[in-house]
Amino acid sequence: MNAIPDWPQQQLRGHPIEGRRYRCREFFEREWEGMWTRVWLLLGRESEIPNPGDWQREDVGPESILMVRQQDGGVKAFYNVCQHRGNRLVHEEKGSVRRFVCKYHSWAFLPDGELNFAPDADDFPQGDPCGRLRLESLPCEAFAGFIWVNMDPNCGSLQDYLGPVWHDWSRYGLETWKRYVALTTTVPCNWKVVLDNFNESYHVPTVHRIVGDPAERRRMHSGVDTDRRNTRFDLSDEGHNRMIMPGGYAGASLNEDGSVGEPLSSILHEWELDAADFKDRPEATREALQEAKRRLGPARGYRHYEKMADEQFTDAFHYTLFPNFAVSLWADGFHFLRARPHPTDPEQCIFDNWWYASQPEGETTPVRTTAGIVERDHECEHETFKLGERSMGRTIDQDLAIFPSQQLGFRSRGYKRAYLAGQESRVGRFHELIDDYIEGRR
Ligand code: FES
Ligand SMILES: [Fe+2]
């Protein structure tokens, strides 16, 4: 039985996805006005700004947003722009202030947005601007420890926007999870190239190919069954996608003699199970792991296990949140992937690859992330670098190698439109939704 219910079926229109969507400036601008300025965007992290006056800046396309901790403990979001003559207020990533002071004429804004000082305040024919002008604010909410903003002043609630994702994620206690990897780079491709990729697993056997035994080629060594026939694909009414692959199967990592291989045998051992017991019935490891985690987890400090469904202990839950956020959610790991549009160029995007891990009380073992193993007490700094200067982890590097190449193809008059497989229906749905926003249907 699935404790995690299916999402409703969706009808796709199947309209053409042409190359111009990825390179044409006019489409880029329509997308900005019609879609980006009307959706909830995941931008900040509450733990980055614990004290009143702490702030964090994140940019999306041409906009720059400040998220600021208030005296009452809440968070407010403002456009990062001075209300005098439009200078960008801050250029750093984060900080702490008593007032934001503009570097042009020294106007100073309090953390709640109010203008509190302007030189020669008596020299304004329209009246003293102090107490009268404020930083322009925008709707802002917190969920799962993240700060989300919406540029539409009349937007609905974040919970309504997230729909069933809200319920799935509420079980993990994500607000307490800590960040262990935070890597950002600029990629020479449109932002949708990245999201298309995370909206399908059809590329997995090719791009993330495992060299060796042909029988292994359709599967990955992570203990996850990537066969589309065993995968659940879901599209939500709100426009988000979910893909669930069964995990904990020894079939994904059997040794030649039929015994359970790595990493599954180590994982079984961690949960007091003996891999040898599953030699002739590898398919039983999934349920055995679920049972062991349910029984042993909470006492070992894994308090969030109390709320989780059995599948969430073993299976791979991949989400793409409309429009630009892809997440792989494991029982103790949150792999965060995001693509933001470039301020001016449709053929570039900003790509983030972050990893968060749960914080069981007393747990000291290092955290296994996609970008390597990290000591648990390691304070992660955000690193921005040029593409290719360092690795983002093998799997992501493999995806990144394709993106610029596909963007080049989108410039060709020899490419008419995408021809999608059934397992790529999330790609189709993603593009239909963008058009729904642009054309005013949402
Ligand atoms: S533009 Fe900011 S003080 Fe003048
Ligand atoms: Fe991939």
Side-chain angles (χ1 to χ4, degrees), residues 50 58 74 93 107 124-125 135 147 154 163 170 205 226 233 241 244 260 275-276 293 334 358 382 408 420:
E58 287 256 297
E93 231 177 79
W107 279 28
F124 291 84
L135 292 177
I147 303 166
N154 304 313
S170 293
T226 58
F233 297 104
N241 299 325
I244 308 174
V260 175
K293 287 187 169 186
F334 182 91
S358 67
H382 180 203
L408 290 176
L420 296 181

Side-chain angles (χ1 to χ4, degrees), residues 107 113-116 124-135:
W107 279 28
E114 184 181 313
L115 178 68
N116 144 288
F124 291 84
Q126 325 81 307
D128 183 344
C130 297
R132 179 180 300 204
L133 294 190
R134 316 181 56 82
L135 292 177

Side-chain angles (χ1 to χ4, degrees), residues 332-363:
D332 296 287
F334 182 91
H335 190 194
F336 171 120
L337 297 155
R338 182 178 62 170
R340 288 172 286 161
H342 187 270
T344 56
D345 184 358
E347 298 204 81
Q348 293 189 65
C349 69
I350 319 302
F351 175 64
D352 304 290
N353 173 17
W354 297 359
W355 184 278
Y356 288 83
S358 67
Q359 299 298 313
E361 297 149 26
E363 183 60 273

